[in-house]
């Protein structure tokens, strides 16, 4: 389904969602094997907790809250946009070239007491986004594209993430 998302950083954007258990979720099955955005719930784990909306109109009134849930809308739209770039410009079907699901986890936090994780990263399988402590949630388009770029490098560069090759990867 096509939804409208009031993202945190990129204004109103069109996103693709799916209905699961009667609610719209940030799950897109139209690109490769999926673009899925989950809620880590301020933990250092990767649960399959969906972000949901009742009418697929993801408004600021609903999602620009103390938890910064509208950041998930940026991560989802950013992953969709980055997937679209790779397929259109490089004929590459997702980061692995074979349609791998792009799974993003928002509200990741490995800080004591949920202080806010000041980073985003590709862990070798999924995109991970912290809420930030010294700055705001790290889900803007450039961050999403950067992390997915690390995934592409994993499947194309055959580089160890250390020394010069690690610097090139960044």
């Amino acid at each position: 389904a096509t939804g409208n998302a009031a993202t945190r950083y990129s204004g109103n954007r069109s996103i693709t969602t799916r209905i699961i258990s009667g609610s719209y979720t940030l799950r897109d099955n139209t690109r490769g094997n999926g673009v899925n955005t989950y809620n880590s719930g301020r933990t250092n784990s990767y649960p399959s907790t969906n972000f949901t909306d009742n009418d697929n109109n993801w408004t600021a009134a609903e999602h620009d809250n103390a938890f910064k849930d509208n950041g998930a809308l940026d991560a989802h739209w950013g992953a969709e946009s980055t997937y679209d770039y790779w397929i259109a410009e490089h004929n590459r079907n997702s980061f692995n070239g074979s349609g791998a699901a792009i799974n993003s986890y928002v509200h990741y936090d490995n800080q004591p007491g949920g202080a806010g994780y000041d980073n985003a990263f590709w862990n070798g399988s999924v995109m991970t986004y912290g809420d930030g402590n010294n700055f705001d949630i790290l889900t803007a388009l450039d961050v999403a594209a950067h992390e997915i770029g690390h995934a592409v490098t994993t499947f194309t560069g055959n580089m160890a993430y250390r020394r010069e090759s690690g610097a090139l990867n960044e």
Side-chain angles (χ1 to χ4, degrees):
T2 300
N4 182 54
T7 70
R8 189 170 191 88
Y9 301 113
S10 297
N12 288 324
R13 298 294 176 170
S14 179
I15 59 172
T16 302
T17 61
R18 281 181 35 207
I19 296 175
I20 297 177
S21 300
S23 294
Y24 292 92
T25 62
L26 298 179
R27 309 272 298 275
D28 172 357
N29 61 358
T30 68
R31 291 168 169 90
N33 290 318
V35 173
N36 308 301
T37 305
Y38 301 105
N39 188 346
S40 282
R42 294 184 171 175
T43 69
N44 64 349
S45 64
Y46 298 98
S48 57
T49 305
N50 287 308
F51 289 94
T52 62
D53 191 81
N54 292 330
D55 60 4
N56 215 18
N57 186 24
W58 304 70
T59 66
E62 297 169 301
H63 301 286
D64 185 4
N65 53 33
F67 297 108
K68 306 176 187 180
D69 285 340
N70 58 351
L73 303 173
D74 282 285
H76 192 70
W77 175 74
E80 289 177 334
S81 297
T82 303
Y83 176 92
D84 292 348
Y85 164 81
W86 281 102
I87 196 98
E89 298 299 323
H90 303 284
N91 198 32
R92 183 171 190 82
N93 186 4
S94 193
F95 57 82
N96 71 346
S98 300
I102 298 175
N103 295 317
S104 300
Y105 289 83
V106 176
H107 299 321
Y108 178 88
D109 195 350
N110 67 353
Q111 304 301 302
Y117 185 66
D118 279 325
N119 207 349
F121 60 93
W122 156 253
N123 76 354
S125 346
V126 302
M127 310 308 146
T128 308
Y129 301 94
D131 286 347
N133 181 23
N134 295 308
F135 36 84
D136 209 356
I137 188 168
L138 297 162
T139 56
L141 175 60
D142 61 326
V143 178
H146 174 93
E147 298 312 331
I148 294 169
H150 284 304
V152 171
T153 301
T154 296
F155 285 88
T156 60
N158 196 27
M159 296 188 296
Y161 193 80
R162 63 178 189 262
R163 297 187 180 96
E164 291 88 355
S165 59
L168 285 172
N169 192 334
E170 281 303 322

